[in-house]
């Protein structure tokens, strides 16, 4: 059985671990013992070590000692740091872009430049600013806070700020843009547009793409899309693979841009395999481009990989062999539903002490839901402890209707988690933002 290394330790990696372990022997280098990943490693008779996945010497040593044959990386900063480049150098089959390929995510200016060439009509008016003088000049175009500020680099889904939502008034937006400029050396200021936001995610072998079911994400911390942006508080997908406000022709426009982008990035050398997803707005004037990510979204991965009908390891083989198609990468016709559970301080303030909480994993799974641990390590029994400041775990369900999947997810949490945890109670309602 093929030995596959998984790097990364969030909820996204937890669901990847589950899928990989069904057909391969799973290996992992973890900064802490993520309970979901550890369970899947053990289930597949693989091996994990606690260590730094950014430590290339450690990764190389582990790969050679364990005679690992394949690697899956889907965490933005690991991709930027070139862990796929290292895996390729070691002769592994890989799922994920090189650092150069992942530039479509870690450099927003680079991504915008590509789209300007391939589909200029999809560009929202923007300025890439590199000096305070340029920022002052750009700000003259706005009378109020009708603009968006985008940091140049990776922000884990939390750095983009929208006028009127994340900052109030022109001065507050200017101050945030200035802080990004000072820390990154550049910042993007973009017009704010009216429209419905959505993402289109596609698997790719570097040439062919297969679009996954379209997901709807809930990025804001509190009910009714209030509060700060987060890595995602929940996510859903529909049985027809679309969303209520989308038509197939909308997705086709996005798919063409994604395929053209993959061909552009790979024109000189194969830099990109794995997953690419684009953020888009559906506006009265047509589909507008927001940004690219060079990996699975989180929580989107929990939904999409649970709706995959073809075994994921078969999909990996088709990607390794450059044979990916809609015939050998199929999805179920069902509804999927994810809720992320967090500490009360999440995205608000840094906790003085790590959040210690209880989860009745067995009862949750017996209710028909799946649990994917993220920034969590085990203490003993049903007691766990938060690691860092991110989300704790995701609950994912499937159903023949949205209501069925939703009810199953919320019921799974009732009485099965401690009172010191928080989650949104309104996932499943489609909002305007």
């Amino acid at each position: 059985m093929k030995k596959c290394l998984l790097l990364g330790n969030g909820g996204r990696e937890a669901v990847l671990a589950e899928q990989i372990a069904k057909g391969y022997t799973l290996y992992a280098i973890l900064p802490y013992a993520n309970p979901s990943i550890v369970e899947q490693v053990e289930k597949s008779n693989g091996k994990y070590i606690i260590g730094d996945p950014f430590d290339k010497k450690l990764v190389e040593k582990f790969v050679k000692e364990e005679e690992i044959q394949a690697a899956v990386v889907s965490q933005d900063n690991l991709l930027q740091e070139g862990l796929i480049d290292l895996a390729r150098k070691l002769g592994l089959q890989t799922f994920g872009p090189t650092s150069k390929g992942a530039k479509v995510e870690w450099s927003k200016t680079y991504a915008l430049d590509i789209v300007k060439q391939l589909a200029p009509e999809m560009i929202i008016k923007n300025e890439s600013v590199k000096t305070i003088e340029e920022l002052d000049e750009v700000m003259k175009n706005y009378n109020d806070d009708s603009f968006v500020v985008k940091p140049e680099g990776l922000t884990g889904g939390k750095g983009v700020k929208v006028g009127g939502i994340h900052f109030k008034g022109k001065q507050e937006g200017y101050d945030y843009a200035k802080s990004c400029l000072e820390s990154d050396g550049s910042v993007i200021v973009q017009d704010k547009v009216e429209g419905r936001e959505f993402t289109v995610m596609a698997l790719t072998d570097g040439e062919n793409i297969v679009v996954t079911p379209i997901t709807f994400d809930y990025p804001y911390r509190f009910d009714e899309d209030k509060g700060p942006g987060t890595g995602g508080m929940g996510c859903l997908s529909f049985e027809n693979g679309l969303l209520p406000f989308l038509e197939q022709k909308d997705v086709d426009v996005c798919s063409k841009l994604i395929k053209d982008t993959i061909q552009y990035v790979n024109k000189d050398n194969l830099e990109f395999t794995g997953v690419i997803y684009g953020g888009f707005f559906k506006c009265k004037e047509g589909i507008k481009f927001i940004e690219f990510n060079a990996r699975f979204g989180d929580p989107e991965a929990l939904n999409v990989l649970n709706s995959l009908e073809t075994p994921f390891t078969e999909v990996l083989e088709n990607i390794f062999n450059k044979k990916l198609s809609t015939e050998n990468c199929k999805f179920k016709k069902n509804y999927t539903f994810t809720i992320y559970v967090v500490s009360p301080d999440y995205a608000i303030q840094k906790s003085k002490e790590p959040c210690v909480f209880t989860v009745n994993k067995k009862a949750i799974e017996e209710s028909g839901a799946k649990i994917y641990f993220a920034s969590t390590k085990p203490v003993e029994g049903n007691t766990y402890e938060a690691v860092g400041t991110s989300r704790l775990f995701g609950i994912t369900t499937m159903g023949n209707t949205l209501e069925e999947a939703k009810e199953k997810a919320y019921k799974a949490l009732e009485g099965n988690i401690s009172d010191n945890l928080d989650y949104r109670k309104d996932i499943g309602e489609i909002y305007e933002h």
Side-chain angles (χ1 to χ4, degrees):
M1 195 177 281
K2 187 170 282 183
K3 296 179 175 183
C4 182
L5 174 67
L6 174 66
L7 296 178
N9 51 281
R12 165 185 51 221
E13 283 73 30
V15 70
L16 279 165
E18 176 189 54
Q19 297 293 323
I20 293 167
K22 288 176 181 175
Y24 292 162
T25 307
L26 179 62
Y27 290 75
I29 298 173
L30 302 169
Y32 55 87
N34 177 311
S36 296
I37 299 174
V38 168
E39 180 186 350
Q40 296 302 330
V41 168
E42 291 172 346
K43 196 179 276 187
S44 74
N45 296 313
K47 181 178 177 181
Y48 74 93
I49 56 171
I50 301 298
D52 181 3
F54 288 91
D55 182 343
K56 292 180 181 176
K57 284 182 179 169
L58 176 67
V59 174
E60 183 169 349
K61 182 169 178 281
F62 189 60
V63 165
K64 286 179 175 174
E65 283 179 356
E66 301 301 331
E67 299 179 332
I68 292 167
Q69 299 145 300
V72 172
V73 183
S74 198
Q75 185 174 306
D76 50 11
N77 45 7
L78 286 170
L79 293 169
Q80 183 180 6
E81 290 299 316
L83 272 300
I84 285 290
D85 304 63
L86 172 65
R88 283 197 190 178
K89 192 183 89 176
L90 296 172
L92 274 61
Q93 295 177 306
T94 57
F95 176 94
T98 63
S99 181
K100 188 176 176 184
K103 191 176 180 182
V104 295
E105 176 167 8
W106 58 258
S107 172
K108 291 185 177 67
T109 302
Y110 173 68
L112 284 166
D113 286 345
I114 291 174
V115 179
K116 278 174 192 170
Q117 292 179 57
L118 299 176
E121 71 283 359
M122 294 177 78
I123 289 286
I124 301 166
K125 188 182 168 215
N126 68 87
E127 297 288 345
S128 182
V129 175
K130 291 186 169 54
T131 66
I132 289 292
E133 291 74 25
E134 286 178 5
L135 180 61
D136 290 341
E137 199 58 37
V138 166
M139 283 295 151
K140 289 177 185 174
N141 297 329
Y142 302 100
N143 298 319
D144 52 23
D145 58 13
S146 59
F147 58 93
V148 177
V149 178
K150 296 186 169 188
E152 169 66 9
L154 299 175
T155 59
K158 306 175 191 75
V160 175
K161 299 209 172 181
V162 180
I165 298 173
H166 302 116
F167 59 82
K168 307 289 184 190
K170 183 176 174 178
Q171 186 61 44
E172 200 176 310
Y174 172 85
D175 292 342
Y176 179 60
K178 186 180 172 189
S179 72
C180 294
L181 184 59
E182 287 166 351
S183 63
D184 297 343
S186 66
V187 66
I188 293 165
V189 179
Q190 193 171 65
D191 281 3
K192 183 179 169 184
V193 297
E194 293 300 320
R196 303 299 301 270
E197 189 174 344
F198 65 100
T199 59
V200 176
M201 195 152 56
L203 293 149
T204 181
D205 58 12
E207 184 178 332
N208 308 295
I209 71 164
V210 173
V211 174
T212 74
I214 309 302
T215 54
F216 189 83
D217 180 31
Y218 293 77
Y220 296 100
R221 174 65 178 82
F222 298 116
D223 288 3
E224 297 178 15
D225 287 351
K226 304 271 174 65
T230 72
M233 294 296 293
C235 192
L236 54 88
S237 70
F238 286 72
E239 45 80 38
N240 64 353
L242 296 172
L243 296 173
F245 57 87
L246 288 181
E247 298 173 59
Q248 186 58 48
K249 65 179 183 181
D250 301 323
V251 177
D252 292 344
V253 169
C254 304
S255 302
K256 183 177 188 312
L257 175 63
I258 286 171
K259 186 162 187 179
D260 290 348
T261 300
I262 288 294
Q263 288 176 345
Y264 178 92
V265 171
N266 288 335
K267 65 181 186 294
D268 299 321
N269 190 41
L270 182 64
E271 304 290 352
F272 204 114
T273 70
V275 180
I276 180 168
Y277 87 76
F280 300 94
F281 273 116
K282 181 173 182 177
C283 307
K284 284 178 185 166
E285 312 79 48
I287 304 295
K288 299 295 178 183
F289 170 76
I290 304 172
E291 65 183 4
F292 284 129
N293 285 339
R295 35 77 192 182
F296 276 114
D298 187 352
E300 293 92 338
L302 279 61
N303 296 69
V304 164
L305 288 171
N306 272 294
S307 66
L308 194 59
E309 188 174 279
T310 309
F312 183 60
T313 49
E314 281 185 28
V315 174
L316 286 177
E317 289 298 323
N318 290 321
I319 286 172
F320 297 154
N321 297 315
K322 308 287 177 288
K323 290 180 178 174
L324 188 70
S325 75
T326 51
E327 290 306 303
N328 58 35
C329 181
K330 295 190 172 183
F331 294 88
K332 301 168 193 162
K333 301 261 190 266
N334 62 4
Y335 291 82
T336 67
F337 195 90
T338 295
I339 306 165
Y340 251 117
V341 178
V342 300
S343 72
D345 288 340
Y346 173 62
I348 310 298
Q349 61 187 14
K350 196 168 181 182
S351 305
K352 291 189 176 74
E353 297 288 331
C355 178
V356 177
F357 58 96
T358 59
V359 178
N360 191 335
K361 179 175 177 287
K362 188 165 181 274
I364 286 171
E365 290 173 341
E366 284 175 353
S367 75
K370 290 184 173 184
I371 181 167
Y372 298 101
F373 286 102
S375 294
T376 295
K377 65 182 181 183
V379 178
E380 60 177 341
N382 286 340
T383 305
Y384 301 86
E385 184 179 300
V387 180
T389 58
S390 197
R391 297 162 296 175
L392 301 176
F393 58 90
I395 299 290
T396 299
T397 57
M398 285 137 283
N400 294 317
T401 65
L402 181 61
E403 204 51 47
E404 181 193 337
K406 177 181 178 180
E407 190 178 329
K408 208 188 285 184
Y410 280 112
K411 271 196 169 167
L413 291 171
E414 283 176 22
N416 290 325
I417 63 173
S418 51
D419 293 338
N420 62 332
L421 299 178
D422 195 19
Y423 54 92
R424 278 184 59 163
K425 315 300 188 291
D426 65 343
I427 308 298
E429 296 174 37
I430 305 283
Y431 285 96
E432 289 296 329
H433 297 309

